[in-house]
Amino acid sequence: MRPIRTIGLAVTALLVLSACQTFNLAESGKPVSLAKSFSITPARDWNLHENGKIQIWTIDGPILQRMRVFNGIEDGKPLVEALSADQDKKPPVFETSMTPIEIRDLFVATIARVNQFNLKTGDLRPDSVAGESAVRFEYAYTDKNGVDKRGFVLATTRDDRLYLFDYEAVSLYYYDRYLDDAEQLLKSLRASAA
Amino acid sequence: MIRARSSVGLVASALILAACQTAGRTAYEAPLRQGELLDPPAAAQPQQAARTAEADFGLIDADTIAHDGRYFRISDLNPGERPSAETLEAGLWQSMDRVEQQARTSGNRVDDPELNAYLTEVACRVAGPHCSDVRVYVMRVPAFNATMAPNGMMQVWTGLLLRTRNEAQLAAVLGHEVGHFLRQHSAQRMKSAIEASNFLAFFSVATGGWGGLAGIFAQGQLLAFNRDHEREADGYGLLLMNRSGYDPREASLTWKNLIRERDANPEKDERDPFLATHPAPEERTEVLGELGMAVASKMPTTEKGRDRFLEIMLPRRAAWLRDELNLRSFHTSNELFDILLEDDPNPAEILFFKGELHRLRNDEDDAQMALDFYGEALNAAGSAPSYLHRSKGLVHNRRGDHAAAKESFEAYLEASPNASDRLIVEDMIERLATS
């Protein structure tokens, strides 16, 4: 009984997260705005897909490597808006009062909603983004096709909204190949004037 | 030819995912009338049990072939038998072999040698001479389900292991799945699906771009074994429990508990297509209960295997309980935890997770409820996870009780000096000290 109820939301979420997407060129040196709170300036060309509050940045394609940006999630909202479509089961939601531990748990629970239950997270440690205090952790899992994936999350809040940057790539070759480019994107983050 | 093969593969991919959760009454009656359940358990007379096994299946076969004789060619499987190369079934088996290869490397597979060895042992005990035909894969999915493919690949989900309470209950499920295998229900389904022109529907599901388990759920729903198959498999489950010496009265208890979980959810989805198209689980509980009693009365001894089962499951359970929390299904999870508490040797762990349910729901009064359950967990028998104090700290912090939050976080770091979030917790303690 329970698996059947999972269909709607899981399919919806998968479509949002992984289905056919239109990508545009994010040119080197040109700033891109993140929900009016931050700007990000790539130092090389990336492909950029935007859908609501989610951006996906990639060079070789999102299955191989990508930076996913959850872009200004408001209090009481899930990371993936489509999860709200399930009337039977409440999605895990962001709350402005959340501690870094709870933000990590929110991410893990959201990933579990798309049926990836085997995420292993590494050390949770303080960091900073554009002068704002932030939290960072690494993670790893084997996907449904048996491919080892690796990633890290950097999350911060500004104006009571959550900004969560999730770099993920195939462990073999791709993670290390584009790690510096991913870090460069994060270092380029600047707070926009209020 | 190539297209035909790939079509078979697509249907086959869908068939493997068949869920099996239904039952009715009539299919059980045949084996009982014929006195098939009078055999002594295998544990008592292993040689004799092995000989009578094939006779059991043959007699049931005579009663239950009712659809189309052509599709029952391999229904009376001999141990180790595979369909010959030019048959429809051969294509199905080959496809399943490929699917099995994927399952073997799938990220959600639980790669735990001891757990897998245990499940294989129980499956072998119920499968008897067909032991080497059945391969068990444990998949980490927080839901009650097991599946059987025609080539002998069985998948058991961790949500099922969390909900069964002893080896006999597990054997009931595994015996049911072995029944699907022995009667090759998937092959029957494939053939009738093609004949019923439902093929396009299956095709669209199989190629619709639904990835991962979402696809599994959807396909399982479309391609669930039909009611007769489920009745038959339940009957086989009881026969195999009888033969292997497991207490058949345990078979219905898992279903009773699943009904409790379902009824605990005030928002249960009445549009659920599963409930709309299948007989109620109550019917299954009743039939399995009555037949289980009848079968047990003919058995010289029955075994539940509770201690052996819990020895394997309890050390692994915390991860499965955390998966349950991630579903955010407060009412059903709360009922499940209450069911577990009724006879659990480690109530401290369950009480902690009841507290977690309240902390994560975060409605009115939930903070206090969470703290109450954490307190109960600390005083209960068994042991709660070491991160209980961190959860306490998070609840106190949310309520603005800084002194209590600081104290709990300090207790957490004392209990878990190498915690992966130590730096963050130290940072929080520092902030709480100055606020």
Side-chain angles (χ1 to χ4, degrees):
Chain A
M1 284 152 282
R2 178 165 296 167
I4 305 308
R5 288 204 304 264
T6 316
I7 297 171
L9 76 92
V11 169
T12 316
L14 277 166
L15 289 173
V16 167
L17 295 174
S18 66
C20 305
Q21 298 152 340
T22 308
F23 282 86
N24 296 308
L25 184 65
E27 283 183 64
S28 170
K30 285 194 176 174
V32 173
S33 172
L34 299 186
K36 297 177 183 170
S37 286
F38 292 103
S39 70
I40 195 166
T41 310
R44 61 169 293 168
D45 290 350
W46 285 73
N47 301 292
L48 174 60
H49 167 77
E50 291 193 73
N51 184 347
K53 288 192 183 303
I54 297 179
Q55 287 183 346
I56 294 173
W57 297 68
T58 183
I59 296 166
D60 274 350
I63 293 171
L64 297 173
Q65 55 81 231
R66 54 118 180 97
M67 172 75 80
R68 187 164 56 185
V69 183
F70 296 92
N71 195 352
I73 306 298
E74 294 161 16
D75 184 61
K77 297 288 186 187
L79 291 184
V80 181
E81 188 56 43
L83 292 176
S84 301
D86 189 297
Q87 297 172 346
D88 195 36
K89 218 182 292 175
K90 285 165 73 175
V93 295
F94 168 69
E95 293 164 33
T96 50
S97 62
M98 276 181 162
T99 62
I101 293 167
E102 291 162 303
I103 288 172
R104 176 192 58 188
D105 292 349
L106 167 67
F107 178 80
V108 172
T110 302
I111 298 301
R113 275 302 172 91
V114 288
N115 297 315
Q116 197 71 51
F117 302 103
N118 59 351
L119 207 70
K120 286 188 182 123
T121 56
D123 288 354
L124 187 68
R125 51 186 199 276
D127 206 316
S128 68
V129 173
E132 303 279 348
S133 67
V135 61
R136 179 189 278 252
F137 61 91
E138 296 188 353
Y139 66 86
Y141 67 95
T142 306
D143 74 10
K144 64 184 168 61
N145 297 316
V147 178
D148 288 335
K149 297 280 184 73
R150 212 177 140 189
F152 73 81
V153 164
L154 184 68
T156 189
T157 52
R158 181 172 155 86
D159 302 331
D160 287 340
R161 292 178 182 211
L162 174 68
Y163 293 83
L164 191 146
F165 305 89
D166 166 26
Y167 173 67
E168 181 186 293
V170 173
S171 301
L172 187 70
Y173 179 73
Y174 288 95
Y175 182 85
D176 288 334
R177 172 71 182 79
Y178 294 108
L179 184 59
D180 288 347
D181 294 306
E183 295 286 8
Q184 184 278 321
L185 278 186
L186 297 175
K187 284 197 181 73
S188 79
L189 279 162
R190 295 289 176 270
S192 306
Chain B
M1 188 59 197
I2 290 169
R3 178 172 294 176
R5 267 297 157 87
S6 68
S7 300
V8 168
L10 283 168
V11 175
S13 309
L15 284 165
I16 185 186
L17 311 161
C20 37
Q21 305 192 356
T22 61
R25 179 179 290 269
T26 53
Y28 302 108
E29 293 172 356
L32 275 184
R33 274 202 309 269
Q34 293 168 22
E36 289 301 311
L37 300 167
L38 297 174
D39 293 337
Q45 297 182 38
Q47 293 302 321
Q48 184 182 341
R51 277 201 308 279
T52 55
E54 287 175 14
D56 287 350
F57 304 137
L59 284 167
I60 287 185
D61 187 63
D63 257 2
T64 49
I65 287 182
H67 307 294
D68 181 348
R70 283 177 298 161
Y71 308 125
F72 288 80
R73 280 174 297 184
I74 56 171
S75 61
D76 284 335
L77 284 179
N78 293 315
E81 183 175 337
R82 285 183 69 99
S84 61
E86 293 309 311
T87 59
L88 183 64
E89 288 86 348
L92 182 60
W93 280 50
Q94 282 167 17
S95 303
M96 285 304 102
D97 289 344
R98 286 197 292 277
V99 173
E100 182 169 352
Q101 182 58 39
Q102 290 166 6
R104 200 173 284 135
T105 55
S106 165
N108 277 333
R109 182 183 175 200
V110 180
D111 190 14
D112 176 336
E114 193 184 12
L115 179 64
N116 281 286
Y118 174 72
L119 285 170
T120 300
E121 186 189 320
V122 178
C124 267
R125 186 166 154 184
V126 295
H130 287 278
C131 165
S132 60
D133 294 334
V134 176
R135 297 164 305 286
V136 186
Y137 298 87
V138 184
M139 308 304 280
R140 186 159 167 188
V141 189
F144 183 91
N145 206 9
T147 62
M148 173 56 88
N151 68 341
M153 172 182 71
M154 187 195 292
Q155 294 193 7
V156 177
W157 292 4
T158 48
L160 186 149
L161 300 177
L162 180 62
R163 285 165 174 80
T164 38
R165 303 301 283 156
N166 58 44
E167 199 171 292
Q169 290 183 13
L170 175 64
V173 177
L174 300 190
H176 174 105
E177 299 303 330
V178 170
H180 281 309
F181 171 75
L182 293 173
R183 296 290 294 148
Q184 288 292 299
H185 286 152
S186 296
Q188 296 175 39
R189 280 291 290 161
M190 178 175 73
K191 198 64 183 283
S192 54
I194 291 170
E195 288 186 346
S197 303
N198 286 334
F199 183 72
L200 279 179
F202 300 148
F203 183 85
S204 65
V205 168
T207 59
W210 298 357
L213 291 160
I216 289 181
F217 292 144
Q219 292 165 354
Q221 176 203 341
L222 267 181
L223 293 158
F225 292 126
N226 71 31
R227 292 179 191 185
D228 286 341
H229 292 163
E230 296 301 337
R231 291 171 184 145
E232 194 174 74
D234 268 351
Y236 266 70
L238 287 174
L239 278 169
L240 295 172
M241 289 177 87
N242 170 55
R243 242 177 47 201
S244 52
Y246 286 115
D247 190 340
R249 290 167 295 195
E250 292 294 313
S252 68
L253 298 183
T254 314
W255 282 95
K256 266 186 192 151
N257 290 338
L258 287 172
I259 291 168
R260 279 179 61 180
E261 274 189 60
R262 183 201 63 191
D263 290 349
N265 183 6
E267 296 163 349
K268 65 184 167 195
D269 190 352
E270 299 299 341
R271 301 156 302 160
D272 187 329
F274 180 85
L275 293 176
T277 54
H278 292 71
E282 281 83 351
E283 182 186 339
R284 185 172 203 170
T285 310
E286 186 190 337
V287 174
L288 277 172
E290 287 173 5
L291 283 170
M293 293 284 283
V295 174
S297 69
K298 307 289 185 190
M299 293 171 67
T301 58
T302 57
E303 188 190 357
K304 288 189 174 66
R306 176 178 156 84
D307 290 346
R308 200 164 51 229
F309 178 84
L310 291 176
E311 191 184 327
I312 296 286
M313 301 304 162
L314 286 185
R316 295 166 167 80
R317 192 173 64 178
W320 307 339
L321 289 164
R322 280 202 303 277
D323 288 348
E324 188 70 29
L325 292 180
N326 281 337
L327 296 172
R328 298 290 198 275
S329 296
F330 179 89
H331 294 285
T332 49
S333 296
N334 194 47
E335 185 69 17
L336 167 64
F337 295 169
D338 282 344
I339 290 167
L340 298 179
L341 270 176
E342 286 172 6
D343 65 348
D344 201 83
N346 188 8
E349 183 176 60
I350 305 296
L351 288 163
F352 164 71
F353 279 100
K354 276 182 72 85
E356 291 290 84
L357 277 178
H358 285 280
R359 176 175 73 83
L360 291 168
R361 184 173 68 169
N362 196 24
D363 280 355
E364 202 180 345
D365 298 334
D366 272 333
Q368 188 56 51
M369 293 287 284
L371 291 175
D372 289 348
F373 278 116
Y374 297 147
E376 280 188 52
L378 287 171
N379 291 319
S383 60
S386 59
Y387 44 89
L388 178 147
H389 293 288
R390 183 181 67 195
S391 293
K392 262 179 84 172
L394 292 171
V395 175
H396 284 309
N397 182 60
R398 186 178 287 164
R399 296 174 115 191
D401 190 345
H402 294 171
K406 179 170 171 287
E407 193 180 318
S408 295
F409 287 138
E410 285 168 346
Y412 165 62
L413 290 185
E414 195 178 325
S416 309
N418 300 318
S420 67
D421 46 14
R422 182 173 189 100
L423 285 176
I424 285 288
V425 175
E426 282 174 346
D427 191 49
M428 287 163 65
I429 290 171
E430 202 171 307
R431 285 166 201 248
L432 288 165
T434 56
S435 61

